[in-house]
Amino acid sequence: CKVTGVQTCALPIYEIVPTELELYKPMEVEEALTKLKDSGAQFYVFNDMDAKMRVLYKRNDGKFGLY
């Protein structure tokens, strides 16, 4: 990356895979956890009941983390 007033990066196109996010309705953490477990994905992005964007993710120890 070069910084010349504006940061620009030339990343190879194969490194970035666009993904659609399902942010339709607020949900409880328990519902998001169920969706993550059922999906087989490494993380799940959702809006909680307080309208905060949250990230639920799988940890290496088999537990889950929440940002």
Side-chain angles (χ1 to χ4, degrees):
C1 295
K2 293 182 180 180
V3 178
T4 57
V6 176
Q7 187 173 358
T8 59
C9 292
L11 295 175
I13 193 91
Y14 62 85
E15 290 187 28
I16 300 173
V17 180
T19 304
E20 298 266 338
L21 295 177
E22 294 182 21
L23 300 175
Y24 304 120
K25 66 177 182 85
M27 67 176 65
E28 298 285 348
V29 173
E30 293 80 12
E31 182 182 356
L33 180 58
T34 299
K35 288 184 175 278
L36 176 58
K37 287 179 178 178
D38 291 346
S39 73
Q42 293 296 311
F43 64 91
Y44 188 76
V45 179
F46 66 101
N47 286 324
D48 69 10
M49 301 309 283
D50 295 323
K52 292 181 183 175
M53 184 176 286
R54 308 297 296 264
V55 178
L56 190 62
Y57 62 95
K58 292 181 183 178
R59 295 167 34 119
N60 290 336
D61 61 6
K63 296 180 182 179
F64 296 89
L66 179 65
Y67 281 108

